[in-house]
Amino acid sequence: MNIKKLNQDYYLLGSIIFLIIFGLVMLFSASWVKSLEVTNGESRSYFFSSQLLKFLPALMIFIFFSFFNYRKLQKIAILSLITTFILLLYTKLQGCDLDSCRWLSIGPISFQTSDLARFSIILFLADYIDKNQKKMINFDKGILIPLLWILPSCILVLLQPDNSTTLIIMSIAIIMLFIGGASFPQILTISILGISSVGFMLLNKGNYALSRITSFFNESSVVNYQSDQAIIGLQQGGFWGLGVGKSVQKYNYLPETHTDFIFAIIGEELGFFWGMMLILTYAFILIRAVQIAKRSNDIFGIMLSLGFGISITIYALINIGVVIGLLPVTGVPLPFISYGGSSFLINILMIAILLNISKSKREFKLKNWRLKVNA
């Protein structure tokens, strides 16, 4: 097997640098009113400064995994999944209330364990498909066994409760298994069973997911109020926007302007044009991930590239879909833009590994691969 060194994917790197710089500018603009509120008028940069503090660990992660041989990650794929399950279990048993059930605190460090689960499951599936690619057409190897491995972690994420992240993780897993060689009838059967299970769960009137979905169709609900205010902001922005810093909606008309609804502030201040540029940037990241997968000719690298690209893109699409009123409110952050630490660090980790994969090209013969790798 030959390994050829290639240049790093500078198009992908440039896109991420653009998103990070753009995100910092918009985060400060979207959050300074909220910063004054939480600091009793003492600081406009509370959330901005807090986000900047996350750049040191992010930079360390980025540099290390940009040069670390990504193929060595296969050795820890199963260990990573087991460790994630233990952390998710501990998070649930540590004693918590509402959203605190999603966070694990170790001294001054706290992170959302569902973000770690997303990375670990993609890593595990890439390793699993690499080792079982000739048997993926079989139901037990292609569907049953990998799902049995990842379901315990998904169930714990669901119990946090974090329905949206659970559905995203399962969607990524199903897509990866299909690309990895699982047959379409098997994928369809599992998808139908999964949708039926979710539907059964939502019939539980005590489940908050059901209330969010029903609220989505109720114009007078508080959740609909958020979406309505977001759309008002986008309408006020028009094509070119009101200008950076000139948003009206961030003055307590629209909640969560620095996290879940930051895209509404982007649309209000920078208009439809820059909103579309942002959407196209996320689409471009997925395209680069696919291109990296095509060039890698390494099944583990292919599946990691596609898993990471799909993960970032799905998060962006769902966040934007919520803001423009196409989806119920889910609490999914906008990658590299929304305020937050664990999601940002995991996304940086994924991009670093993607850039690492882009530097290597393996040449080998493989038949009947769904991606139609060139021999």
Side-chain angles (χ1 to χ4, degrees), residues 212-249:
R212 284 194 171 185
I213 292 174
T214 55
S215 296
F216 179 68
F217 299 99
N218 180 5
E219 295 183 359
S220 63
S221 71
V222 175
V223 174
N224 240 31
Y225 167 81
Q226 292 176 320
S227 298
D228 290 343
Q229 291 300 315
I231 292 173
I232 289 172
L234 294 173
Q235 291 173 339
Q236 291 178 159
F239 191 81
W240 294 112
L242 302 177
V244 177
K246 297 183 179 180
S247 166
V248 176
Q249 295 302 97

Side-chain angles (χ1 to χ4, degrees), residues 126-368:
D127 173 57
Y128 180 87
I129 293 169
D130 180 50
K131 293 176 178 176
N132 297 276
Q133 56 88 17
K134 293 182 179 180
K135 303 174 183 177
M136 291 297 292
I137 194 66
N138 301 324
F139 178 77
D140 57 341
K141 290 289 187 179
I143 296 290
L144 183 61
I145 293 176
L147 287 183
L148 287 177
W149 270 98
I150 69 173
L151 275 177
S153 293
C154 291
I155 290 172
L156 287 176
V157 173
L158 183 67
L159 293 175
Q160 287 186 345
D162 195 342
N163 295 320
S164 55
T165 300
T166 306
L167 290 174
I168 291 173
I169 291 175
M170 290 302 298
S171 298
I172 295 170
I174 292 298
I175 293 171
M176 289 182 68
L177 290 173
F178 176 67
I179 295 173
S183 70
F184 180 74
Q186 293 172 4
I187 292 293
L188 182 61
T189 301
I190 290 298
S191 298
I192 292 174
L193 289 175
I195 293 172
S196 301
S197 299
V198 171
F200 178 77
M201 177 195 69
L202 293 179
L203 290 176
N204 175 11
K205 295 183 178 181
N207 190 286
Y208 82 102
L210 177 62
S211 64
R212 284 194 171 185
I213 292 174
T214 55
S215 296
F216 179 68
F217 299 99
N218 180 5
E219 295 183 359
S220 63
S221 71
V222 175
V223 174
N224 240 31
Y225 167 81
Q226 292 176 320
S227 298
D228 290 343
Q229 291 300 315
I231 292 173
I232 289 172
L234 294 173
Q235 291 173 339
Q236 291 178 159
F239 191 81
W240 294 112
L242 302 177
V244 177
K246 297 183 179 180
S247 166
V248 176
Q249 295 302 97
K250 64 188 174 188
Y251 288 92
N252 293 325
Y253 291 104
L254 176 64
E256 308 299 334
T257 55
H258 60 304
T259 54
D260 302 347
F261 286 90
I262 194 170
F263 185 77
I265 305 302
I266 293 172
E268 185 181 12
E269 296 190 349
L270 298 180
F272 174 81
F273 177 81
W274 280 104
M276 280 304 303
M277 289 299 101
L278 187 60
I279 293 173
L280 291 175
T281 301
Y282 288 116
F284 184 71
I285 289 173
L286 179 60
I287 291 171
R288 295 317 304 169
V290 172
Q291 291 301 316
I292 290 171
K294 286 183 177 180
R295 289 199 309 265
S296 70
N297 287 357
D298 166 15
I299 294 181
F300 180 63
I302 287 170
M303 299 314 303
L304 277 183
S305 299
L306 295 175
F308 293 160
I310 292 168
S311 173
I312 292 171
T313 306
I314 286 181
Y315 265 73
L317 289 177
I318 291 178
N319 177 278
I320 294 170
V322 168
V323 171
I324 64 179
L326 294 179
L327 297 171
V329 176
T330 60
V332 171
L334 188 61
F336 304 105
I337 306 292
S338 294
Y339 173 80
S342 56
S343 176
F344 177 72
L345 292 176
I346 290 297
N347 288 333
I348 285 290
L349 172 60
M350 290 182 176
I351 293 298
I353 296 173
L354 263 175
L355 291 172
N356 190 312
I357 297 171
S358 73
K359 293 186 293 184
S360 299
K361 177 181 179 181
R362 287 187 171 192
E363 297 177 351
F364 65 101
K365 294 185 182 297
L366 180 65
K367 297 180 180 179
N368 298 323

